[in-house]
Each structure stands twice: as C-alpha cells, then as structure tokens.
Amino acid sequence: MIPIQLTLEGLYSYQERQKIDFESLTEAGLFGIFGSVGSGKSSILEAISFALYGETERLNSRDKRAYNMMNLKSNKSLIEFDFINYENKKFRAKREFKRNSKNFEDVKTPEVTFYEWKNESWIPLEHSNAEKIIGLSYANFKRTIIIPQGQFKEFLELGATERTNMMKEIFSLHRFDLQNNVSVLNAKNKSELDQLEGQLKGFEEVNAEQISAQKEHLKLEQQKFEEIKVQFKTIEEKYQQLKTLKTDFESLKQKKFDFEKLILQKTEVDELEIKTELFDKVFRIFTPIITEKNKLEKEISEQLKNKESQFKILKETEARFEDIKTKLAAVLPKFEALEQSKTQENDLSLILKMLEYSDDIKTLKIRTEKGSQKVKEVEAVQNLIEKKITDLTEIAEALKPKKIDSNTLINVGNWFLEQKNLADSAKDQNRKIEDFHIKIEKLDTELIPFAVDLETYKEDFKLKSDALETETKRLSERRNQLEVQQKLAHFAGELHDGESCPLCGALEHPNIVEFDDVNAELIEIKKQIEKTGIQKDVNQKQLSEIEKILDRKKIFEDQQRTEQENLNQITIKTETHRKNFVWDDFNAENEAAFEQKRQQSLEIEKQIEELTQQISGQQKALEKEREHLEKYKKALEEFKLDEAKKDEQIKTSEANLKILKWSDYKEKETAEIVDIYKKLSQSNLETEQNYQQLVKDEKEISPKLTEQKTIVNHLETRISELKKDISENKNILTKSLIENNLINVIAVQNILLQEINVQEMRTTIQQFRIQFETLKNGIVDLENKLKDFSFDEEQFAEAENKFTTAESDLKLANDSVVKIISEIERLEKEFKKKENLLIELSILQKRTENLKLMTNLFKGAGFVQYVSSIYLRQLCDHANVRFHRMTRNQLSLQLNENNDFEIIDYLNEGRSRSVKTLSGGQAFQVSLSLALALAESVQTNAQSEKNFFFIDEGFGTQDVESVNIVFETLMNLQKENRIVGIISHVEELKEKIPVSLHITKDEERGSLIEIV
C-alpha cells in the first residue's frame, strides 16, 4: 500500500481541516513526522487505520469511540484517505460522523464509503472491506505496514501458535493446510470402498462352474424342444383341417339366417324407393316456382311501403322550397342597396384612421418640445465631464516623472531578498558548524579519562591484551600443575599396605612420595586468573568505548566539514551576488533607503492608478452622455418625420372618401364615429350573409326536389311490373299442378314437408340390393363346396384337446430353453461386473493405504507449521542482514526447535538467550530489522513495485551512535525502492531526514500540519 493523500477534520486535536500530500513525502523515500508530546503525531496513523478498518489501538467500540475521537470544539469529523493497493489500483476510504445537535455526547455511528478511481472519477464500491483491497487483516496491517505506538515488539514476542496463524494469513499458507482435503478424500474413498464391498456380496454365487453347468442343461432342453416341435406339427395340421371345415358349416348357417331377414325387409325398401322418387320429382319442379312466388309477394309489399314513405318526403321538400323563395324575395331589396352601404362603411373606416393620425400628431408635437429641452440638458452635462477629464489628466502627467520603473524595483527587491537569504543561510551554517564543534569538544572531553595516544592506542591495547593473555596462559599452566600435585597428594594419602593401588594395582607401597600442601598457592593462582580476566574485560570495554567515541567523532567531523564546505559555497555566492548590484540610484548597504524609495514610488503609482481609474470612469460617463445625446437627437428627428408622415396620411385618406366629408367628422369624438361604424358594418354583414345563405339553400333544395319526384315515379313503375310478374307465376303453378296430377299447392307442400335426403336414401337402397344379391350368391357357393362333406363335433373336440395339450408342451419346452439362455447371459454379464468390481476394489484398497499415510502427514496442521517455520527462518535470515549491521555483528536472531525467537550473543561464546533479555534499544533494533524483513516479504509476495512502512516509536531508546546506524539503515532502503515514514522527537533524526511533517498545536485552532 502506498499513501497518496490524507484529509482530517474534527478528529482528536485536529479541529480545522488539514490535508497531507503524501506524494511529496514518498518521493523522498524517507520522511518523518515530528512534533511535541500531545501535538497529534500518532493521530495521523490512527486516522489511516480507522479510515481503512474502523479500528484503533487507543479506543474500541465499547469506549464511546466516536464521541471520544471527535474534537470537543467540532460538530463533525471527517477522514478521507487516498492510497494505491498492491494491484497498483487507486482507492479512497472515507469515514464521516456527526454530533447530535440536541445531545452533545451523542455522536452518530460513522458513515463509511470506499471508492475506486476509474475513468477519471471516483466510483463508489458496494462494500467497505479493506481486507479485500489491501490483502491484510487489521492485526497484520499494524504488524507489517503501519506499526502503532506500543505494538512495535508484538510480532517478536508472539507465541508460536499466534505467529503461525499470522504467517498463514500474510503468506496465504492456508493453501498448505491439506488436512481437511485429505479427510474429505478419505471419507469419500471409504464410502466408495464400503459400497463396493456391499456390491461384491451380491456376486458371491457367480462363478465359472455355475455358467458351465447351465450350458450343459441348455443342450438337453434344446434336444427335448426339437422332439416336441415335430409332434406338434403333425397334430396342428390335422386340427387346422377340422377347424376350417367347422368354420365353413357355421358360415353357411349364419348366411341363411341373415338372408331370411333381408327377404322380410325387401317390401319396405321397395315402398321407400317409390316415395323417394316422387319427392325428388316434386322438389325439382315446384320448389323454384313456389320460391319465386314468395319472393314476388315479399318485394311488392316492401315497394308499397317505400312508396308511401318517399311520397311524404316529397311533400315536405316542396313546402321547404316555397318558404325559401318567399324569404329570398323579402331580402332582395336590401341586398341590391348593399354596395352603397359598404362604400359608406369604408369612408367611416378612413375617417377613423384620420382621427387616429390627428391624435398622434398632437402627441408628437408635445414629445418634440420635451426632447429639445432634454438635448440642451445633456449637452451641458457633457461639457462638465470633458473639463473634469482634462483636469485629472494634467495631474496624472505631473506625477509620472516622480515614479521609479517597476522592473527596477522588482530586480533591486529580489537582490536584497537573495542577500538576506544568503546571510541567513550563512548564519545557519555557522550555527551548525558551532554545534558540531561543541559535540566534538564534548567527545574529546570523554576521551581524556582514558589517557591514550590516539595514534597508537590500538597497538597499546593490543600489547596489553597480549600481555594479559600470556599471563593468563602462564597462570593456567601453573594451576594445572598444582591441581595434579594436589590429586597425587590425595592418592598418596589413601595408600595402605595390603590394599591395591588405584593406578597400578600393587599391594605393597615401599616408597610413598610426600607432597607439600598446595591449597593456598592454588587459591592464589585462581584469584590472579580471575583478576587477569577482569582486566581483559575492562581493557576490551575501554577499547570498545574509545572506538565508539572516535566513530561518533569522525561522523561529527565529516558532517562539520560538509557544513563548512556549504558555508564556503554560500560565501562565494554572497561575493558574486554583491558584484551583481548595478543600480546607481540605490546603496547596496542601505536597504532601508531602498524600501523608503520603493514605498514612495508605490504610493505615487497608486495615486496615478487612482487618477487613471477616475479618468476612465469619467470617460465612460462622457461616452454614456454622448450616447444619450445621440439617442435624444435621433428621437427628435423621428418625431418630426412621424408628424409629417401622419399629416400626409390624413390628406391621402381624405382624397379617398367617396360619400362622406372629412369636415363633417373632424371635430367629432372618435367613440361616436366608432359606434356608427360598428352598427353599419354589422348590418351590411348580416344582409350579405342572409342573402348568400338563402341562395345557397335554394340551389341545394332544387335538385333534391327533382330527385324526390323521380324516386316516387320509379317506385310506381316497379309496383306495376311486380303485379304483372305475380300473375305470370300463378299461371305457371296452375299448369304444373295439372301436368303432375296434383290437386293444389297444399298437396305439393305436404310432399315437400317429408324433407327426404334423396342422395342418402338412394345410397341406402343400393347397398341393400348389393347385400341381398351377395348373400344369395354366397349361400349357393357354400352349398356347392360342402355337398360331399359332413362335420362331427366330437371328433373336432378331441382334435382340439390334443392340439391345446401339444401347444402347451411346446411352449413349456421353449420357455425352459429361453429361460436357461437368459440365465447364462445374466451369469456371464454378472461375472464380468464382478471382475471389474474386483479391479476397482484393488485400486481403492491401495488408495486407502496412501490416504492413511497422507492423513498422518497433514494431521494437526503439521505441514503448515513446517512451511511456516521455513518462512520464519527466511525472515530471520533477512532480518539478520540489518540486525548484524546495527549491533556490529555482536548479536544475531534465530529460531529454536519450538519456533520461538532467540538471540545469539557472540560476545558470550555464541550462546543463545531469550529476546526478553534485550535492552530497550536492542529490542528496537531487532524489532525494526524483523519488521522491515516481514514488510519486505509481504510486499514481494504481493508483487508490488514499491512498498511502504511506518514506525511510531523506538528512536528515543537509542544512543547517538545507534541512531546513526539506524539512520544509515533507513537511508539504504531508498536504494531498495522502499518508502519509510517515522514518528519521533529525536533531534538528530529531524536534522538528517530530508523532508518531514511538523505538527504544532495551537490553543485556539488545534493541531496544524506543515511540510518542512
């Protein structure tokens, strides 16, 4: 994760909205956050964690977190954090919460929204799960990216189980936890094995011997089936002959019975045939005649009704036509006088316009008089403005020679500003050089108690060390001699005649050596050895202290030389800069005089500017008055033109009058003329409309009247024709009745009421005739066929019984053969299945053994712990690269057999000890090394181009030399494309870090952020 921007408002001590642009900080690779205690340094990291995860180290959800996080002078809090995740995608986390206006202590639950930058805009996400975006839980985020205050040593001191769980999450080691996968496979394999064994129990009786026995049985049954089949064929032939004969005799009997029935039906069929033919004849002859008769009677009735209706319409149309003619005669005189009345109407219209023009002329004369007065007033104002512009211009021209050129003022001002910056830089460099001088003198003072020659101190300490080593060796040899002598004296004192010697086994001891008591000398030798060891340790510690002091002194001297070189460069720049002062009107040594002249020039420039603005304003006013004058003059011209135009229009209209005279109406009121005009216009319009409407009505009704007369005449003609057709139809009907021997129409209607379907009835009669002849011929044929045969029922019953028995025996034999063949096929198929199941059983049994081995391998997450230990050892190796450098190869980090961290102490023969025995400064060094290695591994695993790491403690536990070593380590991270941020109040770091945030706390405004 790489931070881009953080916005804070109303959070802890941050009252006003503060924005941190991390891009300018992360470009430096190493940056810091500095400020006094309680200024709000740690709140920045807490804001980032809370924006992403909604969690903080100081407060949890039970601590009224929202209320306690909000600034007491604020009514709302805002955190907005922009960052780039491991996929190089840009995201924003925003949390905002507000105070209840009615209850000060009631702060609503924060509203959280996550955004992604897409298509040049922020797109809201459907979730607010930072773990999905960053790839780390909150616990591991604060261990690998942002390490809050009080949590720096947490990873170092975690237990093995907790550390394994953390490694599983960070490095996705859960993919190596295959215990559940193996359990699932084992359960599935066991289930399949149980099912297979259950299936095989159903195949216990299936074997090759059983199949062979069934095949032998099949041969016997097939032989028996062939014998029965031959016997059945003989019996079947005899039975079929008798069965055919029986069928023929039964058929002859049935046909004779059916023929007797048809003879009885023949008379009815003959009568039906006569009726059908009569119906068909009457239907064909009389149906068209009667249909025509009915049609003519219906039409003449309809035409009579229609004639009556149309005659009534004709009378109404004639009455309406006469009424229109009467009205038209009455309105005709008015219409003939309409032309003169319209001329009078037109004259009144012209007189109204002339009255309107006359009124307009009066109004224009009044406006012309007022406009002339306004033109005089505007001309007077214009003269005053022109005089004022002339006066202001003269004053401005008089001030211009007194003003200094602006470019000259800017260049001289920049020269003095640069001179001041160089002087301040020189002063600052002198202060830094003096600070280093004091530090170097302090270190020289620390070297005085050692009383060493700095040129030969290493050789002197080596001579002392060699002498002490020689003395230690001599004393150790003497101690060994005395210890041997002491043991021999002990053995000699234990020897007695008759008892075997423990060394040679002799029973006699004639010459026993006597030894002096060496205990006192041995004790003295041991004291001298211990004293020599102490002197060696003191000598080594003094050498180490001197080297540390000299190393620090060298660093300070190098830094002092660097600052001195910077001061020399500033001096050279200052001399060059002074040579660039080329303005004769000013003194390079008197900046105050320059400032005074600049202020005077600026004041004159301000006066000129004010005068210019006044002139510009007056010119705008003058231009405005000129526009007004032009406007008024133009309006006067238009008034005069309009007046002449209106007068000309009156004369033109008077010439166009035809009946009325202008002199009779010019003094009258317009309203009176309007009333006369409206009444005359309305009367003319009504006369014209009435006449036109009546003429139109006359034209419309005249053809209708003619048409209606034609319709009535046509109906009378059609009725006459229909009466003639009815008479002819009656004659045809009478003639047809006589020709067909029918009394009247009623007789015809009675026959037609039968509604016989002629076609269907003829088909039925024809089928009867065919059936009758067919039966008759069939009986003759069967009698001829059976005249030489007789049928015995008992003989047929005996043959039928023999056939049934033989058929049953054949079926039983065939079923037996089929059954045996099916059984053989089933057994062969089952035997094949059994073979396949046995093969599968062998495979599953072998797989069971393999899964049992895998279950033991992955049981209890042992494989995960093994992989975790590999990752931990790699972390140790990476951490030791920096830890060795920080401790000058005196300490190292390792894992014991329980995967717990231990320290290897090379100053104590490389023995191991607990990490809890480390001092505060050493604990910080190993935690920093381990945290950097862990963060590096996490970011590498995420394939990120850059990675970010933030520390909020630890530097206060380091001495000056350790701070320098840590600083060198952090500076080297830039080469590794790493970004590190630190929070500290150590002044040495503040001076070394190239860019930082400085947090100050104002009593009124709260915490304020400044980039230094």
Side-chain angles (χ1 to χ4, degrees):
M1 182 204 75
I2 304 296
I4 299 174
Q5 182 175 283
L6 176 66
T7 303
L8 302 174
E9 182 182 359
L11 186 76
Y12 289 129
S13 58
Y14 291 91
Q15 181 180 343
E16 298 179 1
R17 178 168 295 201
Q18 302 288 303
K19 185 176 290 186
I20 301 174
D21 180 9
F22 277 106
E23 289 184 320
S24 59
L25 299 174
T26 55
E27 285 177 0
L30 175 65
F31 67 90
I33 299 179
F34 298 98
S36 59
V37 176
S39 60
K41 301 186 299 297
S42 299
S43 298
I44 293 174
L45 300 192
E46 191 168 348
I48 293 175
S49 299
F50 187 70
L52 293 172
Y53 294 94
E55 296 286 346
T56 65
E57 286 302 300
R58 281 192 271 185
L59 300 168
N60 56 41
S61 56
R62 296 186 300 273
D63 296 328
K64 295 176 65 176
R65 178 163 53 197
Y67 169 77
N68 286 308
M69 288 180 71
M70 183 178 288
N71 185 281
L72 294 175
K73 293 182 180 180
S74 301
N75 292 320
K76 72 170 185 177
S77 294
L78 169 71
I79 308 173
E80 195 172 78
F81 180 52
D82 298 351
F83 62 95
I84 297 174
N85 77 336
Y86 64 93
E87 297 175 313
N88 207 31
K89 294 181 179 179
K90 189 175 176 182
F91 291 90
R92 169 176 289 177
K94 182 178 180 181
R95 291 185 189 263
E96 190 172 8
F97 41 103
K98 298 179 180 179
R99 194 186 302 277
N100 188 337
S101 59
K102 298 180 180 179
N103 184 356
F104 184 81
E105 295 187 0
D106 180 20
V107 178
K108 300 185 182 301
T109 304
E111 297 177 359
V112 56
T113 308
F114 276 64
Y115 302 86
E116 184 177 358
W117 182 257
K118 287 183 177 180
N119 300 323
E120 301 302 319
S121 62
W122 289 109
I123 307 300
L125 300 180
E126 294 180 354
H127 69 87
S128 57
N129 188 347
E131 189 169 344
K132 283 184 180 180
I133 298 171
I134 298 176
L136 293 171
S137 65
Y138 172 62
N140 292 328
F141 177 80
K142 67 182 183 180
R143 292 167 181 157
T144 60
I145 293 182
I146 291 182
I147 302 181
Q149 203 168 35
Q151 301 293 319
F152 199 66
K153 295 192 298 180
E154 182 187 7
F155 177 63
L156 183 68
E157 297 176 353
L158 279 178
T161 302
E162 293 176 336
R163 192 183 298 113
T164 299
N165 292 334
M166 174 183 167
M167 300 293 285
K168 278 176 67 176
E169 178 184 331
I170 292 177
F171 297 106
S172 301
L173 301 186
H174 53 270
R175 64 184 187 276
F176 298 111
D177 189 359
L178 304 176
Q179 181 179 0
N180 292 335
N181 295 352
V182 173
S183 298
V184 171
L185 290 174
N186 199 11
K188 182 180 178 183
N189 188 72
K190 188 175 184 306
S191 175
E192 292 177 357
L193 189 62
D194 292 343
Q195 291 179 9
L196 198 58
E197 289 175 347
Q199 289 178 14
L200 282 170
K201 287 182 180 179
F203 295 92
E204 291 178 352
E205 297 181 357
V206 178
N207 50 57
E209 292 79 8
Q210 189 178 15
I211 294 172
S212 298
Q214 287 292 339
K215 287 183 177 179
E216 290 297 326
H217 187 205
L218 176 63
K219 289 180 182 179
L220 295 174
E221 289 297 321
Q222 285 177 335
Q223 185 178 357
K224 182 179 177 181
F225 173 72
E226 292 298 329
E227 292 173 357
I228 294 173
K229 189 176 179 182
V230 172
Q231 294 176 4
F232 174 76
K233 190 174 182 181
T234 304
I235 295 170
E236 183 184 21
E237 288 176 356
K238 186 177 181 181
Y239 171 71
Q240 290 298 334
Q241 291 175 357
L242 291 173
K243 185 177 180 183
T244 303
L245 188 61
K246 179 184 179 184
T247 302
D248 290 342
F249 274 102
E250 288 178 349
S251 176
L252 178 60
K253 183 178 178 181
Q254 182 65 38
K255 286 184 177 183
K256 286 181 177 180
F257 178 76
D258 293 339
F259 188 68
E260 291 295 330
K261 285 184 180 180
L262 292 177
I263 290 172
L264 294 174
Q265 294 177 8
K266 190 173 183 305
T267 303
E268 295 178 3
V269 171
D270 292 341
E271 293 177 356
L272 183 61
E273 186 176 12
I274 293 168
K275 286 182 179 180
T276 301
E277 294 302 323
L278 178 61
F279 177 83
D280 181 48
K281 180 181 177 182
V282 171
F283 182 82
R284 285 186 287 104
I285 294 171
F286 289 95
T287 298
I289 298 170
I290 293 172
T291 302
E292 180 67 17
K293 175 179 175 292
N294 293 336
K295 180 181 176 184
L296 291 171
E297 288 176 350
K298 182 180 179 182
E299 186 178 356
I300 197 169
S301 174
E302 290 175 352
Q303 293 294 345
L304 288 170
K305 288 180 182 179
N306 195 13
K307 177 187 173 184
E308 183 181 353
S309 174
Q310 293 297 330
F311 188 76
K312 184 180 179 181
I313 294 170
L314 175 61
K315 292 299 181 183
E316 291 175 354
T317 305
E318 287 176 344
R320 188 179 171 196
F321 180 73
E322 290 299 325
D323 181 60
I324 291 171
K325 285 179 70 177
T326 304
K327 291 180 179 178
L328 190 60
V331 82
L332 185 59
K334 289 185 179 180
F335 180 74
E336 290 174 348
L338 184 63
E339 185 66 29
Q340 185 176 3
S341 184
K342 280 190 174 181
T343 301
Q344 188 177 355
E345 179 187 343
N346 187 55
D347 285 355
L348 285 172
S349 174
L350 290 172
I351 287 170
L352 285 172
K353 286 183 179 179
M354 291 163 70
L355 288 171
E356 183 182 347
Y357 295 152
S358 181
D359 291 339
D360 290 344
I361 289 170
K362 293 176 183 177
T363 304
L364 286 170
K365 286 180 177 180
I366 295 170
R367 294 177 70 182
T368 301
E369 185 178 351
K370 291 181 178 179
S372 298
Q373 184 64 33
K374 191 67 178 176
V375 166
K376 292 177 182 179
E377 293 175 2
V378 172
E379 286 176 345
V381 172
Q382 183 176 329
N383 293 331
L384 289 174
I385 294 172
E386 288 176 347
K387 185 177 183 305
K388 193 169 184 179
I389 290 172
T390 303
D391 295 341
L392 291 172
T393 304
E394 290 175 356
I395 296 170
E397 290 298 325
L399 287 173
K400 282 182 180 180
K402 300 178 182 179
K403 176 180 167 291
I404 302 173
D405 182 61
S406 299
N407 291 330
T408 303
L409 289 175
I410 292 170
N411 293 332
V412 176
N414 290 337
W415 187 92
F416 277 112
L417 180 62
E418 180 65 19
Q419 178 73 5
K420 183 177 182 302
N421 291 336
L422 289 171
D424 292 342
S425 298
K427 184 178 179 182
D428 188 47
Q429 288 300 120
N430 283 319
R431 181 186 61 76
K432 290 180 180 179
I433 293 168
E434 183 61 26
D435 289 343
F436 284 122
H437 182 70
I438 293 169
K439 290 176 182 177
I440 292 168
E441 286 182 346
K442 184 178 178 183
L443 291 174
D444 289 336
T445 305
E446 292 178 6
L447 286 172
I448 292 172
F450 295 104
V452 294
D453 185 351
L454 296 179
E455 297 293 331
T456 61
Y457 78 96
K458 288 186 178 180
E459 290 77 4
D460 295 343
F461 272 99
K462 188 174 184 305
L463 291 173
K464 288 182 183 179
S465 179
D466 292 344
L468 289 170
E469 190 65 34
T470 302
E471 180 64 16
T472 301
K473 187 175 180 182
R474 184 187 66 77
L475 291 171
S476 295
E477 290 174 354
R478 178 58 182 162
R479 180 192 63 188
N480 292 337
Q481 292 174 359
L482 292 174
E483 286 177 347
V484 170
Q485 188 175 347
Q486 187 182 42
K487 288 290 184 182
L488 290 174
H490 174 72
F491 283 124
E494 295 295 324
L495 290 177
H496 301 286
D497 289 336
E499 295 181 2
S500 60
C501 176
L503 296 177
C504 62
L507 297 176
E508 295 180 358
H509 317 289
N511 298 311
I512 298 174
V513 180
E514 294 184 1
F515 295 95
D516 296 331
D517 186 5
V518 296
N519 284 335
E521 187 179 357
L522 186 61
I523 291 170
E524 182 62 26
I525 290 293
K526 287 181 177 181
K527 287 181 180 180
Q528 291 178 10
I529 290 173
E530 184 177 353
K531 184 178 179 182
T532 304
I534 292 170
Q535 289 177 352
K536 284 170 65 178
D537 289 341
V538 171
N539 192 52
Q540 182 63 35
K541 286 181 180 180
Q542 286 181 349
L543 178 61
S544 178
E545 288 294 325
I546 291 169
E547 286 181 342
K548 286 180 180 179
I549 292 170
L550 290 175
D551 287 343
R552 281 185 286 167
K553 182 180 178 182
K554 184 177 181 301
I555 291 171
F556 291 149
E557 286 174 344
D558 291 342
Q559 291 174 342
Q560 187 183 35
R561 279 193 295 273
T562 301
E563 299 301 340
Q564 184 62 49
E565 289 175 2
N566 292 338
L567 179 60
N568 295 339
Q569 291 295 324
I570 291 169
T571 304
I572 294 169
K573 287 181 181 179
T574 302
E575 292 174 356
T576 304
H577 183 66
R578 290 183 67 84
K579 291 177 182 178
N580 292 333
F581 194 87
V582 294
W583 301 277
D584 297 332
D585 295 336
F586 304 103
N587 187 353
E589 304 299 331
N590 193 349
E591 185 179 359
F594 163 72
E595 285 296 331
Q596 184 178 359
K597 289 182 179 180
R598 183 165 67 171
Q599 290 300 324
Q600 290 173 355
S601 180
L602 290 174
E603 186 65 30
I604 291 169
E605 186 175 1
K606 185 177 179 182
Q607 291 175 10
I608 293 171
E609 186 176 351
E610 288 176 355
L611 289 169
T612 304
Q613 289 177 353
Q614 290 178 18
I615 292 168
S616 177
Q618 291 298 322
Q619 286 175 339
K620 288 179 181 178
L622 178 61
E623 186 64 29
K624 193 172 182 182
E625 291 301 324
R626 284 174 178 169
E627 290 176 359
H628 288 166
L629 181 61
E630 186 65 27
K631 180 180 176 183
Y632 293 146
K633 286 182 178 180
K634 187 176 179 181
L636 282 174
E637 291 296 327
E638 290 176 355
F639 292 160
K640 291 176 181 178
L641 288 172
D642 283 350
E643 185 178 343
K645 187 177 178 182
K646 299 290 182 184
D647 189 54
E648 184 64 29
Q649 287 174 339
I650 289 173
K651 292 177 181 179
T652 303
S653 297
E654 185 178 4
N656 289 326
L657 292 174
K658 294 180 180 179
I659 296 174
L660 303 178
K661 293 181 179 180
W662 168 239
S663 58
D664 296 336
Y665 292 92
K666 62 188 303 184
E667 300 301 330
K668 290 186 178 182
E669 294 292 330
T670 303
E672 181 184 352
I673 306 302
V674 168
D675 186 52
I676 296 170
Y677 172 76
K678 285 183 177 178
K679 288 179 180 179
L680 180 59
S681 177
Q682 183 67 26
S683 175
N684 291 339
L685 180 63
E686 289 176 356
T687 299
E688 186 176 12
Q689 288 178 346
N690 288 338
Y691 179 79
Q692 289 175 350
Q693 185 63 42
L694 288 169
V695 171
K696 181 182 178 184
D697 292 344
E698 183 185 24
K699 288 180 180 179
E700 288 178 354
I701 200 167
S702 180
K704 287 183 179 179
L705 180 60
T706 304
E707 181 184 358
Q708 195 64 33
K709 287 178 179 179
T710 303
I711 290 171
V712 171
N713 293 332
H714 178 73
L715 287 172
E716 289 175 348
T717 304
R718 180 59 183 161
I719 290 169
S720 298
E721 291 174 352
L722 288 172
K723 286 178 179 179
K724 184 179 178 182
D725 291 340
I726 290 170
S727 177
E728 290 176 356
N729 178 264
K730 187 176 181 181
N731 293 333
I732 293 169
L733 179 59
T734 302
K735 183 179 178 183
S736 296
L737 288 171
I738 293 169
E739 289 175 352
N740 289 283
N741 299 319
L742 293 172
I743 301 170
N744 51 29
V745 177
I746 295 172
V748 174
Q749 291 175 344
N750 289 334
I751 292 171
L752 294 176
L753 285 174
Q754 296 177 16
E755 295 183 354
I756 296 172
N757 189 332
V758 176
Q759 186 64 34
E760 183 180 336
M761 197 59 66
R762 282 176 177 171
T763 302
T764 303
I765 292 168
Q766 186 179 7
Q767 288 177 349
F768 176 80
R769 301 287 186 204
I770 293 170
Q771 186 180 6
F772 184 84
E773 292 299 326
T774 302
L775 273 175
K776 182 178 178 181
N777 294 332
I779 290 170
V780 172
D781 291 341
L782 282 174
E783 285 177 343
N784 291 332
K785 181 181 178 181
L786 298 174
K787 65 181 179 178
D788 297 327
F789 293 97
S790 61
F791 176 73
D792 187 350
E793 189 68 38
E794 292 181 358
Q795 184 183 3
F796 175 77
E798 182 181 355
E800 187 175 30
N801 289 334
K802 285 183 180 180
F803 174 77
T804 303
T805 303
E807 187 179 38
S808 177
D809 292 343
L810 181 65
K811 185 176 182 305
L812 289 172
N814 183 63
D815 290 346
S816 178
V817 171
V818 171
K819 185 177 180 182
I820 293 169
I821 291 172
S822 299
E823 180 64 16
I824 291 171
E825 290 177 354
R826 185 189 70 80
L827 288 172
E828 288 178 341
K829 193 179 291 183
E830 294 293 310
F831 188 72
K832 184 66 177 177
K833 285 184 181 178
K834 183 177 181 180
E835 288 180 338
N836 293 334
L837 290 173
L838 287 171
I839 293 171
E840 290 181 23
L841 180 66
S842 175
I843 293 171
L844 290 176
Q845 286 174 342
K846 186 173 181 180
R847 193 177 188 197
T848 299
E849 295 175 1
N850 293 335
L851 287 172
K852 186 176 180 181
L853 181 64
M854 292 175 72
T855 300
N856 293 332
L857 178 63
F858 297 119
K859 183 169 60 179
F863 190 59
V864 175
Q865 292 177 1
Y866 169 72
V867 175
S868 175
S869 66
I870 293 175
Y871 274 82
L872 280 172
R873 293 184 195 285
Q874 289 176 349
L875 284 178
C876 276
D877 293 341
H878 293 157
N880 277 327
V881 173
R882 296 185 177 92
F883 189 44
H884 288 166
R885 190 161 60 240
M886 291 183 190
T887 61
R888 296 188 178 278
N889 297 320
Q890 294 177 4
L891 299 176
S892 180
L893 187 68
Q894 75 169 14
L895 283 172
N896 62 19
E897 64 276 3
N898 296 323
N899 277 345
D900 289 327
F901 286 120
E902 288 184 342
I903 295 298
I904 302 298
D905 190 345
Y906 294 108
L907 294 180
N908 290 287
E909 301 178 357
R911 298 183 185 277
S912 62
R913 55 188 172 96
S914 171
V915 293
K916 296 180 181 179
T917 63
L918 293 172
S919 66
Q922 291 172 331
F924 170 76
Q925 291 172 345
V926 69
S927 298
L928 175 61
S929 301
L930 194 59
L932 288 171
L934 181 62
E936 185 177 48
S937 299
V938 170
Q939 304 290 353
T940 302
N941 193 49
Q943 298 180 346
S944 178
E945 295 179 0
K946 289 186 177 182
N947 51 63
F948 178 71
F949 184 69
F950 216 120
I951 310 167
D952 185 13
E953 64 173 277
F955 295 98
T957 62
Q958 305 293 293
D959 56 24
V960 175
E961 182 182 4
S962 298
V963 167
N964 288 328
I965 294 172
V966 171
F967 179 74
E968 289 177 12
T969 301
L970 297 178
M971 287 298 292
N972 287 331
L973 292 175
Q974 296 182 65
K975 302 174 184 177
E976 303 169 17
N977 213 15
R978 302 286 298 280
I979 300 167
V980 178
I982 61 173
I983 290 181
S984 179
H985 53 267
V986 177
E987 288 298 323
E988 287 83 350
L989 282 176
K990 183 177 179 181
E991 294 176 0
K992 293 175 179 292
I993 289 177
V995 63
S996 62
L997 296 178
H998 185 62
I999 313 298
T1000 58
K1001 190 172 182 181
D1002 187 274
E1003 293 183 0
E1004 294 297 326
R1005 300 172 62 192
S1007 294
L1008 303 174
I1009 299 173
E1010 179 186 6
I1011 295 182
V1012 180

